[in-house]
Amino acid sequence: MKTLHFQSVKGKGPEITEAIIAEEDIKSCKKEFFALHLVIEELAVNIADYAYSDGKDGYLDVLIDKTPEEITITFKDGGTPFNPLERKMPDLDLPLEERGIGGLGIFLTIKKMDEVKYDYRNRENILTIKKKISNE
Amino acid sequence: MENTFEVKKDGSVLNIVLNGQLATANAPALMEELNKYKDQGVTKVSFDATNLTYIASSGIRVVIFAKQKLGGNPEIEFINCNDEIFGVFEMTGIQNYINFIKK
C-alpha cells in the first residue's frame, strides 16, 4: 500500500492529478491507464475545488493498493461531508444543444470503474474506487 | 507533448488544433478563447485531435460549450480522434452530435 499526502489542495487539482498518475502502481496499469487518469482527475479536481469551502484549505490523502487482479485507490479529505454518488446524473437522452454540464465527471467515474464507494468516517470523506486490471 | 491548442478562424469555420491533453489545466483557457468567437457566424467548429492523447470531462464541456454558446448551433467535427477519447464521447452519449473524420 502506498500513501500520498497532499497538505494543501485548493486550486491544485491538475498538479495533484499529475502526482498520482506518476506513481508506478498506476503507470503500470497500461490498459487501464486512460480510465484511471480520467477518474483520478475528476475526483482530485472535485476535492481541490469543493471539499474545503469558505476560503479554507485542507489536506488530501490518497491510498493506492495494487494486487495482481485489481487496483484500489482511496481518497480521504477532511472537508465538508459530501457524497458525490448522490449527485444528479446527467440526462444522456438530451440532445447536445440542451445538455447541462454538471455531474459529468462523477458519471464517468461510475462508468469507468468496477466499484465506487463513499463513506464518511472520523470526520473524513472517504471515496474508494476499484478497477480490475489485465496482466498483459 | 505540451498541452496546447491553436484556434484559427477560416471563413465561418473555427479550426482548433489540440495537442497532448484537453483537461482541467487548459480547458478553461480554451473555453475563454472560444468565447471570443461568440455570435460571429461560426457554422462549424473543427477540432484536430491528431495529437490529442487524453480528454477529461472538462474537455467534454468545451465541446458542449462550442455547440451551445457560440450561437447558430454550429456543426462539430473531430479529426483523427483516438479510440479511448471516442470512448469517452460515446459514454456521455454525445458522439451522435459530432462528425468523426479520419484524415
Side-chain angles (χ1 to χ4, degrees):
Chain A
M1 170 97 73
K2 169 101 190 185
T3 304
L4 298 178
H5 176 77
F6 302 93
Q7 185 59 32
S8 149
V9 300
K10 205 78 197 167
K12 292 180 182 163
E15 62 184 270
I16 291 171
T17 304
E18 292 300 320
I20 301 171
I21 64 167
E23 282 299 316
E24 194 51 44
D25 277 349
I26 312 265
K27 275 199 296 190
S28 57
C29 299
K30 293 231 165 16
K31 221 176 145 211
E32 295 78 19
F33 184 77
F34 188 102
L36 289 170
H37 185 181
L38 184 74
V39 168
I40 289 165
E41 172 164 348
E42 303 304 340
L43 299 176
V45 168
N46 266 340
I47 291 167
D49 292 348
Y50 303 115
Y52 300 96
S53 47
D54 302 327
K56 278 185 249 152
D57 197 352
Y59 69 92
L60 164 66
D61 285 326
V62 179
L63 287 66
I64 305 169
D65 189 15
K66 192 181 179 190
T67 69
E69 291 80 33
E70 62 180 15
I71 185 160
T72 306
I73 310 172
T74 306
F75 295 77
K76 291 184 180 185
D77 67 74
T80 312
F82 174 67
N83 181 355
L85 303 179
E86 285 174 356
R87 258 196 95 147
K88 196 170 167 277
M89 292 294 135
D91 183 349
L92 302 185
D93 294 327
L94 280 180
L96 189 49
E97 294 85 340
E98 294 164 26
R99 281 294 184 95
I101 55 167
L104 207 51
I106 192 68
F107 169 77
L108 288 171
T109 300
I110 293 166
K111 281 286 212 184
K112 288 276 187 192
M113 295 295 110
D114 292 306
E115 196 182 315
V116 184
K117 207 171 70 186
Y118 172 81
D119 256 329
Y120 190 76
R121 267 200 318 263
N122 302 327
R123 308 177 81 175
E124 282 187 314
N125 288 299
I126 305 172
L127 195 80
T128 307
I129 56 172
K130 269 186 208 290
K131 176 88 176 160
K132 291 192 179 71
I133 48 182
S134 62
N135 296 289
E136 284 166 20
Chain B
M1 206 181 309
E2 282 194 59
N3 306 321
T4 56
F5 53 80
E6 276 166 53
V7 182
K8 235 189 243 167
K9 192 162 179 256
D10 189 5
S12 68
V13 180
L14 207 52
N15 288 300
I16 300 159
V17 180
L18 302 169
N19 291 300
Q21 307 186 357
L22 184 58
T24 314
N26 61 351
L30 178 54
M31 214 183 268
E32 210 170 287
E33 182 66 25
L34 290 186
N35 203 32
K36 294 178 187 163
Y37 298 92
K38 200 175 169 178
D39 298 324
Q40 290 190 21
V42 173
T43 58
K44 179 159 110 177
V45 183
S46 174
F47 292 90
D48 185 341
T50 308
N51 294 314
L52 188 69
T53 55
Y54 169 75
I55 194 164
S57 75
S58 44
I60 301 282
R61 278 187 212 113
V62 174
V63 179
I64 297 176
F65 177 90
K67 184 74 176 172
Q68 294 182 343
K69 309 288 184 197
L70 285 182
N73 194 15
E75 185 188 328
I76 306 287
E77 176 179 279
F78 255 81
I79 301 166
N80 298 337
C81 179
N82 79 29
D83 289 349
E84 292 192 291
I85 293 171
F86 180 77
V88 179
F89 282 117
E90 210 173 20
M91 212 164 252
T92 56
I94 64 174
Q95 84 283 8
N96 297 329
Y97 302 92
I98 299 170
N99 292 327
F100 291 94
I101 294 173
K102 290 275 175 208
K103 272 189 184 169

